[in-house]
C-alpha cells in the first residue's frame, strides 16, 4: 500500500489484515505516521517500509523482494490550496509518482488499484488535473503494457474524518471559536466514512475484470 500511513492507507491495511494474506507492505515517506500506523494496527502481517514513490529503483526492489501480488496506490498530495501554489511538486508526486509505481510493477502483480478523487471529473484545479492525468496514464499502461493486470480506479469524494479533511478543519475552528471557512453558502459536500472508502477499494480489487 503506497501512502499506507495515511488515514485511508492505515484503515485499508487494518481491513486487509483480516483476510488470508501473508504479508502487507505499508510503503510511505512519512516516518512518524508510519511508526504510528504500525503501533496502532499491531499485526505481524504488517511490514513497514520507509520509502518514496519517486525512488523508482527502490520501489521496484521492494515489490520484487516481497513478491507483491496486489498494489493499492494511495500516495498523493491532496490539499487543493497547497497544490495550486506548488504545481511542480503536485506533478512530481501525483503524476510522475504514479508513473513510477506502474513502471515498478512486475509480472507477479495481479491487480493495481489507483485511489483518485472526484475532482478528477471535469477537473478545474491542479489536484483534479494531476489525478486525472494519473488515471489516464494508468489506463494507458493497462491497455498497452500491463495487459494482464487487473486495474481499478476509485474516485473518492470527501472522506469524513480523514486527516486534513474539511471536517477536521471545521472541528478545529469550532473548538477554537473561530468562524467556519465555508467558501460559499450554497456549496454542498458529500461525505463517506473511512471504512466505507476502504470497503469500496477492496470491492474494486475483488471484482472480475
Amino acid at each position: 500500500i503506497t501512502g499506507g500511513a495515511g488515514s485511508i492507507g492505515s484503515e485499508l491495511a487494518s481491513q486487509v489484515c483480516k483476510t488470508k494474506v501473508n504479508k502487507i507492505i505499508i510503503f510511505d515517506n512519512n516516518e512518524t505516521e508510519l511508526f504510528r500506523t504500525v503501533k496502532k494496527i499491531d499485526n505481524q502481517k504488517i511490514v513497514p517500509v520507509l520509502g518514496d514513490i519517486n525512488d523508482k529503483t527502490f520501489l521496484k526492489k521492494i515489490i520484487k523482494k516481497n513478491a507483491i501480488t496486489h498494489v493499492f496506490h494511495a500516495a498523493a498530495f491532496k490539499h487543493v490550496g497547497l497544490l495550486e501554489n506548488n504545481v511542480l511538486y503536485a506533478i512530481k508526486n501525483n503524476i510522475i509518482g504514479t508513473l513510477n509505481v506502474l513502471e515498478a510493477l512486475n509480472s507477479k502483480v495481479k491487480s493495481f488499484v489507483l485511489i483518485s478523487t472526484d475532482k478528477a471529473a471535469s477537473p478545474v484545479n491542479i489536484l483534479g488535473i494531476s489525478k486525472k492525468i494519473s488515471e489516464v496514464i494508468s489506463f494507458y499502461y493497462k491497455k498497452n503494457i500491463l495487459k494482464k493486470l487487473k486495474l481499478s480506479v476509485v474516485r473518492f469524494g470527501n472522506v469524513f474524518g480523514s486527516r486534513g479533511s474539511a471536517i477536521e478543519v471545521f472541528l478545529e475552528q469550532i473548538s477554537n471559536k473561530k468562524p467556519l471557512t465555508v467558501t460559499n453558502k450554497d456549496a454542498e459536500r458529500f461525505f463517506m466514512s473511512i471504512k466505507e472508502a476502504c470497503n469500496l477499494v477492496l470491492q474494486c480489487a475483488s471484482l472480475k475484470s
Side-chain angles (χ1 to χ4, degrees):
I1 304 173
T2 66
S7 302
I8 301 298
S10 60
E11 175 61 26
L12 184 59
S14 180
Q15 291 193 33
V16 174
C17 279
K18 300 174 185 177
T19 69
K20 295 180 180 180
V21 298
N22 296 319
K23 186 190 304 181
I24 303 166
I25 308 297
I26 297 183
F27 190 91
D28 204 295
N29 65 357
N30 189 322
E31 179 193 20
T32 301
E33 291 301 327
L34 191 60
F35 173 78
R36 288 174 178 170
T37 298
V38 173
K39 292 284 287 184
K40 178 182 177 182
I41 299 177
D42 190 24
N43 191 296
Q44 293 183 347
K45 292 181 180 180
I46 298 292
V47 178
V49 175
L50 189 61
D52 195 305
I53 57 174
N54 284 300
D55 186 346
K56 183 172 63 177
T57 301
F58 180 63
L59 179 58
K60 191 171 185 177
K61 179 181 178 180
I62 293 299
I63 292 175
K64 182 179 180 179
K65 177 183 176 181
N66 293 281
I68 290 174
T69 54
H70 303 280
V71 174
F72 299 94
H73 180 36
F77 291 149
K78 65 177 184 178
H79 293 283
V80 174
L82 282 173
L83 297 194
E84 290 298 307
N85 296 315
N86 295 276
V87 178
L88 290 180
Y89 261 80
I91 293 172
K92 181 178 181 180
N93 198 64
N94 293 2
I95 299 176
I96 304 301
T98 298
L99 180 60
N100 287 335
V101 176
L102 288 165
E103 291 185 340
L105 303 182
N106 56 51
S107 59
K108 291 185 179 180
V109 179
K110 298 177 181 178
S111 71
F112 173 83
V113 179
L114 170 66
I115 297 177
S116 188
T117 171
D118 57 354
K119 295 174 181 63
S122 301
V124 295
N125 53 41
I126 297 302
L127 170 59
I129 293 170
S130 65
K131 294 302 288 183
K132 175 65 175 181
I133 293 174
S134 73
E135 292 179 4
V136 172
I137 291 172
S138 298
F139 285 122
Y140 173 85
Y141 263 71
K142 161 64 178 174
K143 182 178 180 180
N144 298 285
I145 301 173
L146 305 170
K147 297 180 180 180
K148 294 183 179 180
L149 181 72
K150 182 167 71 172
L151 171 72
S152 302
V153 173
V154 184
R155 286 179 175 175
F156 287 165
N158 294 281
V159 180
F160 195 95
S162 62
R163 285 193 285 277
S165 69
I167 292 300
E168 185 181 63
V169 174
F170 291 161
L171 289 176
E172 187 275 332
Q173 291 170 336
I174 292 170
S175 64
N176 289 288
K177 298 181 180 180
K178 296 179 180 179
L180 298 182
T181 50
V182 179
T183 54
N184 190 304
K185 66 179 182 179
D186 296 322
E188 294 183 356
R189 282 184 178 268
F190 301 92
F191 292 96
M192 64 195 308
S193 70
I194 294 176
K195 184 165 289 187
E196 286 173 331
C198 292
N199 284 337
L200 177 60
V201 172
L202 293 175
Q203 286 171 9
C204 284
S206 64
L207 291 174
K208 293 182 179 180
S209 300

